[in-house]
Amino acid sequence: MSGFDADVIVVGAGFAGLSAAEALVSAGSEVLVLEARNRVGGRVASDRFADGVRFDTGGQFICDEMHEVMALVHRLGFPVFDTPMDGAFQVQPAGAGEARYNFAESGRIRTRANRIDPRDPSIAGLTVEAWLARQSDPSGAKVGYQAMVEGLWCRSISEIPLWYVIDNDRRTTSNGNELQYSVDGTMHAVAEALAALLGSRVRLGMPVARIVRGNGSVAVTTGNDEVFKARQVIVAVPPVMASRIGHEPALPAPLAEALGAWRSGTVIKALVEYERPFWRDAGWSGMVMWRDVLGLFACDVSSGHASALVVFAGGPLAVDWSGKGEDFIRSEMLRRLAAAFDSAAETPVDFQMRDWVGDRWSGGGYSDVITDLSACDAETLIRAGAPPVHFASSELSSSFPAYVEGAIVAGREAAARVLAFLQER
Ligand SMILES: Cc1cc2nc3c(=O)[nH]c(=O)nc-3n(C[C@H](O)[C@H](O)[C@H](O)COP(=O)(O)OP(=O)(O)OC[C@H]3O[C@@H](n4cnc5c(N)ncnc54)[C@H](O)[C@@H]3O)c2cc1C
């Protein structure tokens, strides 16, 4: 390996980067993973309640249909626990105009949308909002569909192309089962265990600022001006973050434009710990959606270690609340949980939240979203990359994009492309 620090440098130690690195190491390649943060996991992160119980502040839920992440979690020895779902589901505020928010009918809109070919010329250039306006469904059904899109894709429906949502949603094949399990010990601990298999190949505190493509080699410069050389590079960071890395020579214009077609999602995740799951006393499952604000959702994540609810605020709501600060978010969430269940909700044992809006190294969450209405080829162009520079992130996955499963798949897909180049030598 004369003159090279590794066969392959992987930029980013989220699940995409770690999975790519593991696949490359298994195939016999020398790998170096450069991660900007002082921890691995990226959009999978964790914290602890005051009593020491660890919980996920980022990616958490998995399900049987997510074959790769399920296999990984089992291989690394982590048990999973079921998301408690017994009991009634609520739409809040109760009784306030059911017509304004109709789930069953909004599900039918989703099914109808997903039957459209994303390349159908009749939807070219249409945002979700523009397409929805043309539908003859009752307004409650439309608002429900809007809440679903803004809650999952975490941007306003006035920005998201319909073809993008359809194309993305078709690759998520779990039939609404995504909340099935959590990892006992946290998904973040799974990322740490995966990184531990890679040992000293993972270097933290290494923000990559510039990539120089040469003849048969590539030089990667960090913000600390350290330079590493390799034969190939996988940039395993979300597209918006990838677009901020400098390239020499400049990336081909179509690829640079493809990376510029995305915006970061916006989400806030809160974990609220209670003495006991009191909501079950009245027959509630803990699962709540709100009709007066779109993109707000709560569910029970109690395990053998803690009784807790998780609350997500996504999309425009997250941006609004993020601007109002943590005290506002806490009191607003607790007030709403109390209205849904019982005044006991206002006195939790602990309340912890992570505001991902504008996050330094991921830009937001759950995922980046294409907002350029004409960028239908963006994913294909990014997947093709500019060898020896390749790209991977959950967004680019052939299955479950925007999920941990998607990150693992995207990482391994990129590793396969890189191995093909290495074998050509
Ligand atoms: C609040 C929240 C809840 C979620 N819930 C779920 C869930 O329940 N289930 C699920 O499956 N998914 C969930 N997701 C989505 C899931 O976490 C992500 O899709 C997945 O973790 C993305 O992995 P990735 O490797 O593609 O990207 P990332 O995790 O973002 O990893 C990229 C890495 O690159 C690093 N990086 C960025 N720029 C640079 C640079 N210039 N130099 C070096 N390093 C850099 C970052 O620090 C990061 O570590 C959630 C996400 C969030 C934010």
Side-chain angles (χ1 to χ4, degrees), residues 11-17 34-37 39-44 57-62 66 178-179 206-209 236-238 241-242 245 267-269 312 354 356 361-362 364-367 392-395 401-405 407:
V11 181
F15 269 95
L34 301 178
E35 164 56 47
R37 305 185 211 241
R39 62 165 181 85
V40 301
R43 282 170 279 179
V44 171
T57 56
Q60 170 175 353
F61 298 103
I62 54 178
M66 298 174 174
E178 294 90 337
L179 299 176
M206 292 279 176
V208 168
V237 311
M241 291 295 123
I245 295 175
V267 69
I268 297 165
K269 179 173 179 178
F312 295 98
R354 174 152 189 164
W356 287 86
W361 294 111
S362 73
Y366 311 104
S367 75
S393 74
S394 182
E395 286 80 354
Y403 291 90
V404 172
E405 172 79 3

Side-chain angles (χ1 to χ4, degrees), residues 63-109:
C63 64
D64 284 328
E65 290 80 4
M66 298 174 174
H67 303 296
E68 302 307 327
V69 70
M70 289 300 293
L72 179 69
V73 164
H74 290 312
R75 170 158 63 94
L76 296 177
F78 286 84
V80 298
F81 64 90
D82 290 338
T83 301
M85 290 195 190
D86 288 346
F89 166 78
Q90 290 191 67
V91 179
Q92 280 284 318
E98 186 60 34
R100 181 154 151 60
Y101 205 123
N102 187 318
F103 275 113
E105 288 185 19
S106 62
R108 283 195 279 277
I109 300 180

Side-chain angles (χ1 to χ4, degrees), residues 39 44-48 54-58 186 188-189 192 354:
R39 62 165 181 85
V44 171
S46 63
D47 207 336
R48 286 183 192 277
R54 195 177 184 191
F55 57 86
D56 282 301
T57 56
T186 74
H188 190 207
E192 291 170 340
R354 174 152 189 164

Side-chain angles (χ1 to χ4, degrees), residues 18 20 27 46 53 62 90 98-99 121 172 186 191 200 202 211 228 248-249 265 277 322 326 335 352 356-357 382 386:
L18 294 173
S46 63
V53 174
I62 54 178
Q90 290 191 67
E98 186 60 34
T172 300
T186 74
S200 60
V202 181
I211 298 176
F228 299 92
E248 211 177 293
S322 180
E326 190 164 338
R335 180 184 73 74
Q352 300 283 339
W356 287 86
V357 178
I382 299 170

